[in-house]
């Protein structure tokens, strides 16, 4: 069955595309590195938009917190720019959140790789003892 797209989904998609460009071109704070917008969730009443972001090549938690402060302080500015590019009566209030899913995924992938290599090493050692 085809999934129904609600207005909030369409607004979220448009906001994700526009915010990616606006943050890159308009936010000039040197404390902010490269930002990836992973997802935007807009409430059903279109009043709040949660923007989930990650930072390219950034692992330092204090730098991540600083970058999140920069984005949340620029939320009003970005909302005003969105109002010019997206034709809506009211633009949702922006709330930026750090998305840890990619970091967790990389950590889990590293653990899996480590377990597989350890298993292979253990298997190779047991095979050589049998000879």
């Amino acid at each position: 069955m085809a999934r129904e797209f609600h207005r909030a989904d369409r607004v979220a998609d448009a906001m994700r595309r526009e915010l990616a460009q606006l943050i890159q071109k308009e936010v000039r704070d040197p404390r902010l590195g490269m930002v990836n917008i992973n997802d935007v969730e807009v409430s059903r009443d279109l009043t709040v938009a949660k923007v989930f972001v990650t930072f390219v090549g950034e692992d330092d938690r204090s730098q991540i917190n600083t970058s999140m402060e920069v984005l949340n302080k620029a939320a009003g500015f970005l909302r005003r720019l969105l109002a010019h590019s997206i034709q809506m009566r009211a633009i949702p209030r922006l709330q930026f959140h750090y998305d840890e899913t990619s970091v967790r995924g990389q950590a889990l992938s590293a653990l899996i790789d480590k377990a597989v290599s350890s298993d292979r090493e253990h298997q190779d050692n047991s095979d050589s003892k049998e000879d």
Side-chain angles (χ1 to χ4, degrees):
M1 183 167 126
R3 181 175 180 258
E4 251 186 70
F5 287 98
H6 299 285
R7 184 158 192 247
D9 296 334
R10 291 190 305 270
V11 169
D13 187 51
M15 288 180 70
R16 184 182 52 77
R17 283 185 272 116
E18 286 296 323
L19 279 172
Q21 292 177 358
L22 291 173
I23 290 172
Q24 180 183 7
K25 293 177 182 177
E26 302 294 335
V27 179
R28 304 262 187 243
D29 196 310
R31 298 173 292 174
L32 189 63
M34 288 189 57
V35 179
N36 279 342
I37 298 180
N38 294 351
D39 194 21
V40 176
E41 292 179 0
V42 178
S43 62
R44 290 184 66 164
D45 62 357
L46 304 177
T47 59
V48 177
K50 293 180 182 179
V51 183
F52 296 94
V53 298
T54 55
F55 303 100
V56 177
E58 191 58 60
D59 295 331
D60 181 27
R61 194 62 189 176
S62 65
Q63 181 61 35
I64 289 170
N65 290 338
T66 301
S67 296
M68 290 305 300
E69 287 176 20
V70 169
L71 283 175
N72 280 308
K73 286 185 180 180
F77 170 70
L78 291 168
R79 184 180 181 198
R80 189 176 69 228
L81 293 175
L82 276 173
H84 293 295
S85 60
I86 297 176
Q87 299 298 317
M88 289 179 55
R89 182 175 294 172
I91 298 294
R93 190 175 69 245
L94 302 176
Q95 297 176 346
F96 289 92
H97 299 278
Y98 181 65
D99 188 7
E100 294 183 3
T101 56
S102 63
V103 174
R104 285 186 196 150
Q106 290 173 353
L108 286 174
S109 179
L111 283 173
I112 291 169
D113 291 343
K114 183 179 175 183
V116 167
S117 66
S118 175
D119 189 41
R120 282 186 185 147
E121 184 179 307
H122 179 68
Q123 192 175 27
D124 289 344
N125 287 340
S126 66
D127 288 344
S128 63
K129 287 180 183 179
E130 290 177 2
D131 292 334

